[in-house]
Amino acid sequence: MKPIEENILLSSLTMEIDSIFIQLRKADKIIFNEINCLERSSINRLKSQSLSLVDGKRLKTSIYQMYPHRLLWDEHIIYMLENEGNNLFKLIDEYNEYLNLRQIVQDRQDYTELIQVDNQLAVATRRLGAMFYHLNSHVNLIIVLLGSATIEVEKQQVGVKNGQEYFNNRRIDPCHC
């Protein structure tokens, strides 16, 4: 794959990761406010807000477009994607399950159970957010390394081209000093 194509794929992956991370931060604030209202018995001020599921399939497609290439440079990314006990997609599924359960409990208006679900969802949200933050930093590092490598190759190619021109000029005009 050409470096420009890899940079485009990595950049689009970074944008997708950033978008999900922002979604998780908003969800965390909503859950935090909901827990505070429920614990203070302010049910009458509670606004039922729905939260969006994280699209794990779309993210997985984006990641696996790059996966066999540059993402293998980073053992932390491999761990985040392949660790059976704690991988990114397992955390996404866990988060989405809590969101679905939260919606069911909200519909039943069982506020005692909603506090419990929200507390579990808060933990799942923060774990997933931390994983996305960590993934984002490693993908950005790969982008920087790839960019540096591309610049170095371009410098070397310019140097070789200049050297060849100099050598060709010397061959054509042996008196050229």
Side-chain angles (χ1 to χ4, degrees):
M1 198 176 292
K2 295 177 183 175
I4 293 173
E5 292 171 0
E6 288 176 337
N7 278 334
I8 290 170
L9 285 174
L10 282 168
S11 295
S12 66
L13 177 60
T14 300
M15 287 183 1
E16 191 168 348
I17 291 168
D18 285 344
S19 173
I20 293 171
F21 184 72
I22 290 168
Q23 176 185 343
L24 292 170
R25 288 194 45 124
K26 287 178 183 177
D28 188 52
K29 287 181 181 180
I30 290 170
I31 295 163
F32 179 77
N33 288 334
E34 188 170 277
I35 290 171
N36 282 336
C37 282
L38 290 169
E39 287 177 346
R40 285 187 266 139
S41 299
S42 304
I43 295 171
N44 56 350
R45 292 191 345 213
L46 181 66
K47 295 178 185 176
S48 283
Q49 297 183 21
S50 63
L51 300 171
S52 301
L53 299 173
V54 173
D55 189 354
K57 290 179 183 179
R58 180 178 169 187
L59 178 66
K60 190 178 250 184
T61 301
S62 296
I63 287 175
Y64 284 104
Q65 280 181 323
M66 282 300 309
Y67 186 65
H69 303 290
R70 300 293 182 199
L71 296 181
L72 285 176
W73 283 358
D74 193 320
E75 65 187 45
H76 295 287
I77 292 177
I78 295 169
Y79 176 81
M80 285 184 255
L81 299 177
E82 294 182 354
N83 181 298
E84 290 182 25
N86 189 30
N87 71 52
L88 180 67
F89 302 110
K90 182 176 180 179
L91 292 178
I92 289 172
D93 290 342
E94 179 183 312
Y95 172 80
N96 287 339
E97 287 173 17
Y98 281 123
L99 280 182
N100 289 331
L101 180 59
R102 177 179 177 264
Q103 186 61 51
I104 292 168
V105 173
Q106 278 181 331
D107 291 345
R108 287 195 319 235
Q109 296 182 345
D110 184 346
Y111 299 113
T112 304
E113 189 178 357
L114 184 57
I115 290 174
Q116 295 170 349
V117 171
D118 277 351
N119 281 316
Q120 293 168 326
L121 181 57
V123 171
T125 303
R126 291 179 184 143
R127 286 181 63 208
L128 185 57
M131 183 73 85
F132 271 99
Y133 181 82
H134 196 69
L135 177 63
N136 191 30
S137 65
H138 285 272
V139 172
N140 283 329
L141 178 62
I142 290 174
I143 290 171
V144 169
L145 291 173
L146 184 61
S148 296
T150 303
I151 290 170
E152 277 302 311
V153 168
E154 288 173 357
K155 283 181 183 178
Q156 289 173 359
Q157 289 173 347
V158 168
V160 168
K161 183 180 175 184
N162 289 341
Q164 286 174 339
E165 287 175 5
Y166 176 78
F167 180 72
N168 288 338
N169 288 339
R170 297 281 292 168
R171 272 194 344 204
I172 294 172
D173 185 10
C175 295
H176 180 43
C177 297

